[in-house]
Amino acid sequence: MIKQNALKKLATLACTGLLSAQLVTAGDGKLIIDDKNPMAEAFSPCDIFDKNTLYESDNGFIRKVKLKGRYHGQYISQTEDIDDVRDNGYHNLQHRRARIQMDFDLAHDLSFGFDANYSDGDGSSTGLVDGGDTFINNFQTINLQWKPSDDFYVIIGKDKQDITREDIQSSRFIKTVERAPIVNEVGQQRPWGAQVGFLINGIEQRFGAWVYGAHDSGPEWVDFRANKGASYNLTVPVNENLDFHFDWNFVNNDGGRERARGDAEVGTFGSAYEHAFAWGVDYEKDRFKLISDFIYGANRESSGAYRGSGEIPTGDDTWGFYVLPSYKITDRLEGVFRYQYMDSGREQRTQRFGNDGGGDNNARFNVENYHSVYAGFQYFLCGENLKLMGGYEYAWGDLFGTNTEIATGSWQFAVRTYF
């Protein structure tokens, strides 16, 4: 049940953002009020997703204020067999993501924004959706950007560390309910840092410097006791339909002997691998789209050994790839397919629940020689702003360090909305 004080805080956050914008540019800006005759043109319920601009001005320091957000709910029904013996089943509804976001367009080519989690998944003990007392768990991203031209930009703050086409794609637009295991194994990092990007002759490059930990209190501000790292991203357009990509992320983890977090209190911001590489393609023509990456991770930090699976040792390497084609059958319906392979790592997120035989429902087995096939669809009620997703994924391989086979089948259904 959503607590009353949490709802009050939600309203306060939205009102505060609006009021601050008015005060800074008092007299110069304007509230965005639709004063058109509602009978003058046809109204669609989907139009509501375009009504998120709270303030707009042609002068002053604050030029535009937008209130954004997203909610992603999903139902997972899975069964898992180990050596052809049923190990577990999981059938439940999850609050996958719930976030509030505010974007400020500022003078002098500056912009500021944050994306705050107020529910960070099923089982959250602090999030609004799950009935906790804390309104904001943490910031998914919070950064300041300076973009004086289309060919140059600087970003400072907490941001996604890009690697692979599937990981780079926002959760608002991903075509499967969950990303591929090999992508989750090396990616999904959002550390604190600074990035510089530039475009020369159509080729985009970006350099980043990062800190991989934070303080446990409050919204998890950066903790410089964490280990540091770097990144590099390259995009080379071949033609109007095809791009080539290269991504490299580095964590100074002493060859896997240290955690990315170092001595920081919180450290889920860095990869488990010292070096992570991805070579990818992005192809789109008419109704067909394909993304794919070959991925390599070197010098992993050691993992715990889950029941029935061995511990991944310090310095272990992995590699894998995925191929994800999709086709727009109609303007509203899209078919999606994905095959992926992972040499070694942890199971997919949908396998994280119920597979340890006990009360801890946040344990995924360590696996190797791991394959998965996903076939599903997207149905767009209001474009990407409101859509239904569904699919079936079958994954199989061996428990790490053993000859024990593991196989999982998962029905996955989701509703995704953002404004």
Side-chain angles (χ1 to χ4, degrees), residues 70-74 94-98 171-173 415-418:
R70 75 189 74 176
Y71 174 76
H72 295 169
Q74 59 195 43
Q94 303 171 3
H95 302 298
R96 181 63 174 88
R97 300 177 185 90
S171 63
R172 296 172 298 175
F173 307 119
V415 57
R416 299 284 165 91
T417 184
Y418 81 91

Side-chain angles (χ1 to χ4, degrees), residues 141 143 145 147 151-165 167-169 189 191 193-200 203-210 230-236 245-250:
T141 59
N143 52 61
Q145 178 171 317
K147 191 175 183 180
D151 299 332
F152 180 79
Y153 58 89
V154 177
I155 304 173
I156 299 175
K158 190 174 188 290
D159 203 8
K160 178 182 284 189
Q161 190 179 56
D162 290 347
I163 186 165
T164 78
R165 299 322 92 215
D167 191 23
I168 286 172
Q169 190 67 271
Q189 317 308 328
Q195 303 172 78
V196 176
F198 51 89
L199 194 69
I200 299 177
I203 298 175
E204 183 179 1
Q205 299 181 75
R206 186 193 308 182
F207 294 89
W210 305 95
S231 64
Y232 174 72
N233 303 98
L234 173 70
T235 298
V236 180
H245 302 268
F246 171 72
D247 306 311
W248 167 68
N249 290 345
F250 166 70

Side-chain angles (χ1 to χ4, degrees), residues 71-329:
Y71 174 76
H72 295 169
Q74 59 195 43
Y75 177 79
I76 305 297
S77 178
Q78 72 161 40
T79 57
E80 189 164 68
D81 295 339
I82 295 180
D83 266 352
D84 296 324
V85 177
R86 180 61 46 83
D87 178 65
N88 75 83
Y90 176 80
H91 317 280
N92 212 338
L93 203 59
Q94 303 171 3
H95 302 298
R96 181 63 174 88
R97 300 177 185 90
R99 297 175 189 162
I100 286 292
Q101 179 178 346
M102 290 199 74
D103 289 345
F104 299 82
D105 289 345
L106 310 174
H108 312 299
D109 305 308
L110 295 170
S111 62
F112 171 76
F114 65 80
D115 196 5
N117 289 301
Y118 63 93
S119 172
D120 55 4
D122 184 88
S124 168
S125 61
T126 59
L128 170 65
V129 171
D130 294 290
D133 295 323
T134 302
F135 175 62
I136 292 179
N137 290 353
N138 51 43
F139 287 111
Q140 189 79 356
T141 59
I142 178 170
N143 52 61
L144 179 70
Q145 178 171 317
W146 178 52
K147 191 175 183 180
S149 73
D150 292 337
D151 299 332
F152 180 79
Y153 58 89
V154 177
I155 304 173
I156 299 175
K158 190 174 188 290
D159 203 8
K160 178 182 284 189
Q161 190 179 56
D162 290 347
I163 186 165
T164 78
R165 299 322 92 215
E166 193 179 38
D167 191 23
I168 286 172
Q169 190 67 271
S170 168
S171 63
R172 296 172 298 175
F173 307 119
I174 56 176
K175 297 176 181 294
T176 58
V177 176
E178 295 290 351
R179 294 179 173 92
I182 185 61
V183 173
N184 285 331
E185 177 68 14
V186 302
Q188 290 290 283
Q189 317 308 328
R190 288 172 176 82
W192 292 86
Q195 303 172 78
V196 176
F198 51 89
L199 194 69
I200 299 177
N201 296 326
I203 298 175
E204 183 179 1
Q205 299 181 75
R206 186 193 308 182
F207 294 89
W210 305 95
V211 181
Y212 292 108
H215 295 282
D216 188 37
S217 60
E220 300 181 352
W221 298 115
V222 61
D223 188 341
F224 288 98
R225 295 175 298 174
N227 284 340
K228 316 302 188 296
S231 64
Y232 174 72
N233 303 98
L234 173 70
T235 298
V236 180
V238 178
N239 54 48
E240 63 179 1
N241 305 118
L242 177 64
D243 292 337
F244 284 136
H245 302 268
F246 171 72
D247 306 311
W248 167 68
N249 290 345
F250 166 70
V251 177
N252 183 18
N253 69 0
D254 192 23
R257 288 180 285 273
E258 294 183 10
R259 297 173 297 180
R261 64 188 286 183
D263 294 325
E265 295 174 321
V266 176
T268 56
F269 304 152
S271 174
Y273 293 86
E274 183 177 31
H275 296 278
F277 302 91
W279 296 265
V281 296
D282 187 335
Y283 178 82
E284 184 171 8
K285 186 174 182 180
D286 300 326
R287 293 177 175 270
F288 178 77
K289 182 176 178 63
L290 182 142
I291 59 174
S292 181
D293 282 278
F294 176 84
I295 304 161
Y296 186 84
N299 293 331
R300 194 191 200 281
E301 63 184 58
S302 63
S303 72
Y306 298 120
R307 178 178 60 87
S309 64
E311 177 179 352
I312 299 178
T314 298
D316 188 67
D317 297 346
T318 192
W319 66 274
F321 65 94
Y322 72 90
V323 180
L324 197 164
S326 59
Y327 185 80
K328 270 289 194 69
I329 302 168

Side-chain angles (χ1 to χ4, degrees), residues 346-359:
R346 299 178 69 202
E347 282 186 289
Q348 168 65 284
R349 181 183 169 90
T350 49
Q351 279 84 58
R352 72 184 296 184
F353 301 99
N355 67 359
D356 63 343

